[in-house]
Amino acid sequence: MHLGKAVRLRGPDYCFAEDDLYTAHFSGQDSREIEKIFFGQIDSNGKRAVECFNDFTHPFPSAAHDLFNPMLLYMSTQKLRTPKGLGWLKNKLGTDDKNVLLGAMIDIRNLHCAIWTECVWQIADTQDSTTKFIISDHPITIYNRELGPRAPECRGDNDPDIWLQGAHTIFPLSLEKVLILTNLSWVRNPYQPAKDLRPNPEPMRSAIFKFTEIQIQRHLTEEEVRQINFIILSRAKQFVGAAEEDWVFPERYVSKSQWNTYGHGYLLMPDPRPLSLGGTIMWGGGPGPGGAMDEYGRRPWDAGFENPNTARLESSTLYRFKGEFAKLFGPYRRGRSGDFGGFQMDPEKDDDEMHNVHLSYLPKSYKERRTIRRAKYKSAKSEE
C-alpha cells in the first residue's frame, strides 16, 4: 500500500476550485452564467472591500462606507458558495437538485449580513508572531467555545450558527490580518450559555453599523495565531493552504481538548473596555418618516425593544467582564476603537486610575462586601 503525502505543493486552482460547481442545467444545456455574471461582480467588489478593511485605520477611510455592504455580501456569499456551504444548504432543503440549490443560494445570499452588521468588529494582526494565518476551502470560519469539532452540531457540512450567542466569525483578510466578528450580546455577557439564541436572531432584515467601534491594533501572540489556525483547520472541508509547511499543522502546538479554554475562553473576544450600554439610534426630521432601532435591530413595535430587564442584566455583566478582562490581560488594551467621532483612538494603555476603576468592577468577596457595608454604615451614622 502506498500512502500519499499529507502536504503537497499545489496551486489554488487545484485545492480551492471545483469544476462546474456553479454550472446550472436547463433543458439539457449547461449554463455558467451564475459564475460569470452573479459571482463576477461580487468577487470584484469583494476584492476591493477586503483590501480596504485589511488596511483599515481610525479615522476610517471614506471608502469603507461604500465598501461595507459589498464586504458583507462577499463574506455571506463565500460562506454559502463553497462545497461545504452547498452541502449545508442541501441538508437544509433536503434536495440534490443543483438548480434548486444554486437558486436558493442566490435567494439567501444576504443570510448573514444583518447579524454580522450588529457584531463587534475586530481586526487583529500577526506582527508579534512568526506564524501567519492559513486559509481553507471554507474561508468563513465560525467558532463557538461550547461547540467543538466533535459536537453533533458540527458534523459533516454543519457549522455553529452565527445567531447563537457565543458565535465568533473568523475571516483572514491576508497572511497577517484577520477579521473577527463577535455578537454584541456575547461581549456584554459572556457568562450566559454560548448555545442560546442571541437577541433578535432573525437574519433577513435591516441593521445599522458604527464604524467608530471597529477595534484595530490587536497584536496576536504566536500561541493565539496557532489557535486560530487550528480552528480554521478544524472547520475546513478538505483543503487548507499556507505559505509555510509548518503552519498547516497547528495541532502540533494546540490541543483540541482545550477548545473551550483558548485564551482563558476569550481568544476571539474584542476588548470590552471601550464598549458602552444602550445603542438605540433614532432618525427623523426630514421628508421621510422617522424611526428608531436598538442595538439588536429591534424596532419600537418589536418584542424586546429596549428591554429594561436585559439592560439591567447587561449593565451588571458588562462591567464585571471589563474587570475580569483588566485582571487577565492588564492595562494594555487588546484592540483600540475610534473615539470622538473616530478622529482619534482609545488609549493604548489605561492609566493607573482607569485600570483600578476597571478592576473595581470585579465581584467582591464576602469579606470585602462586609467591609464596604460597614464603611457605608459608619459614613451614614456620622452624617446623622
Side-chain angles (χ1 to χ4, degrees), residues 187-342:
V187 187
R188 288 182 173 179
N189 182 9
Y191 310 109
Q192 59 189 313
K195 293 192 287 184
D196 281 359
L197 289 174
R198 53 148 279 168
N200 196 17
E202 168 58 41
M204 306 297 280
R205 54 181 172 78
S206 58
I208 295 177
F209 184 72
K210 293 178 67 176
F211 284 90
T212 55
E213 294 185 351
I214 295 178
Q215 295 189 14
I216 61 174
Q217 295 187 3
R218 178 182 171 187
H219 309 309
L220 299 164
T221 65
E222 185 99 15
E223 179 183 32
E224 290 171 332
V225 176
R226 286 168 171 166
Q227 288 169 342
I228 291 173
N229 282 345
F230 182 74
I231 295 168
I232 293 172
L233 173 68
S234 299
R235 298 291 187 218
K237 184 174 179 68
Q238 184 177 6
F239 295 109
V240 295
E244 300 287 342
E245 182 172 325
D246 184 60
W247 304 349
V248 180
F249 298 100
E251 69 273 17
R252 292 173 177 170
Y253 312 96
V254 176
S255 171
K256 183 183 295 186
S257 63
Q258 296 175 341
W259 179 272
N260 65 329
T261 60
Y262 296 155
H264 305 279
Y266 301 136
L267 168 67
L268 301 174
M269 273 289 193
D271 197 310
R273 287 170 285 191
L275 268 62
S276 59
L277 295 165
T280 296
I281 295 176
M282 293 176 283
W283 61 90
M293 181 183 291
D294 72 10
E295 65 269 38
Y296 297 120
R298 296 173 297 207
R299 308 299 294 274
W301 53 83
D302 292 330
F305 177 77
E306 293 188 337
N307 188 313
N309 294 326
T310 301
R312 281 193 292 271
L313 175 62
E314 289 187 341
S315 176
S316 171
T317 56
L318 174 59
Y319 283 95
R320 174 185 172 186
F321 187 35
K322 289 184 179 188
E324 183 181 354
F325 217 79
K327 183 178 181 179
L328 282 172
F329 304 111
Y332 282 93
R333 296 288 181 96
R334 299 218 308 173
R336 302 170 67 190
S337 57
D339 202 352
F340 297 101

Side-chain angles (χ1 to χ4, degrees), residues 26-298:
F26 302 102
S27 302
Q29 300 295 317
D30 293 341
S31 172
R32 295 178 175 83
E33 295 302 301
I34 291 177
E35 185 163 10
K36 292 179 182 178
I37 299 175
F38 178 70
F39 288 130
Q41 189 65 40
I42 290 176
D43 290 345
S44 176
N45 293 335
K47 179 179 183 295
R48 294 190 296 119
V50 169
E51 291 170 350
C52 175
F53 282 92
N54 186 68
D55 298 329
F56 188 90
T57 60
H58 288 295
F60 53 88
S62 59
H65 280 288
D66 298 329
L67 293 171
F68 180 73
N69 285 332
M71 179 73 166
L72 286 174
L73 181 58
Y74 176 71
M75 291 176 59
S76 186
T77 307
Q78 281 287 84
K79 192 172 188 325
L80 293 168
R81 70 192 280 188
T82 65
K84 184 174 179 179
L86 290 172
W88 172 83
L89 197 56
K90 169 186 169 182
N91 294 333
K92 290 294 183 183
L93 298 179
T95 180
D96 290 325
D97 189 310
K98 195 170 185 181
N99 290 352
V100 173
L101 293 176
L102 293 175
M105 177 188 63
I106 293 172
D107 288 342
I108 65 169
R109 59 189 180 275
N110 293 312
L111 180 66
H112 312 93
C113 296
I115 289 178
W116 281 339
T117 297
E118 292 166 357
C119 284
V120 180
W121 287 41
Q122 182 181 72
I123 300 171
D125 63 61
T126 63
Q127 75 169 33
D128 294 339
S129 170
T130 56
T131 300
K132 309 302 178 184
F133 295 115
I134 65 173
I135 59 171
S136 84
D137 54 6
H138 191 59
I140 307 296
T141 301
I142 312 300
Y143 170 84
N144 186 311
R145 71 185 184 194
E146 292 183 13
L147 293 171
R150 297 189 184 96
E153 298 93 331
C154 301
R155 292 174 183 167
D157 292 318
N158 292 321
D159 273 339
D161 292 324
I162 66 167
W163 36 84
L164 302 183
Q165 295 277 21
H168 302 269
T169 300
I170 305 169
F171 179 42
L173 300 171
S174 63
L175 280 176
E176 297 188 344
K177 289 191 178 180
V178 63
L179 175 63
I180 303 170
L181 312 181
T182 305
N183 282 318
L184 174 63
S185 57
W186 184 239
V187 187
R188 288 182 173 179
N189 182 9
Y191 310 109
Q192 59 189 313
K195 293 192 287 184
D196 281 359
L197 289 174
R198 53 148 279 168
N200 196 17
E202 168 58 41
M204 306 297 280
R205 54 181 172 78
S206 58
I208 295 177
F209 184 72
K210 293 178 67 176
F211 284 90
T212 55
E213 294 185 351
I214 295 178
Q215 295 189 14
I216 61 174
Q217 295 187 3
R218 178 182 171 187
H219 309 309
L220 299 164
T221 65
E222 185 99 15
E223 179 183 32
E224 290 171 332
V225 176
R226 286 168 171 166
Q227 288 169 342
I228 291 173
N229 282 345
F230 182 74
I231 295 168
I232 293 172
L233 173 68
S234 299
R235 298 291 187 218
K237 184 174 179 68
Q238 184 177 6
F239 295 109
V240 295
E244 300 287 342
E245 182 172 325
D246 184 60
W247 304 349
V248 180
F249 298 100
E251 69 273 17
R252 292 173 177 170
Y253 312 96
V254 176
S255 171
K256 183 183 295 186
S257 63
Q258 296 175 341
W259 179 272
N260 65 329
T261 60
Y262 296 155
H264 305 279
Y266 301 136
L267 168 67
L268 301 174
M269 273 289 193
D271 197 310
R273 287 170 285 191
L275 268 62
S276 59
L277 295 165
T280 296
I281 295 176
M282 293 176 283
W283 61 90
M293 181 183 291
D294 72 10
E295 65 269 38
Y296 297 120
R298 296 173 297 207

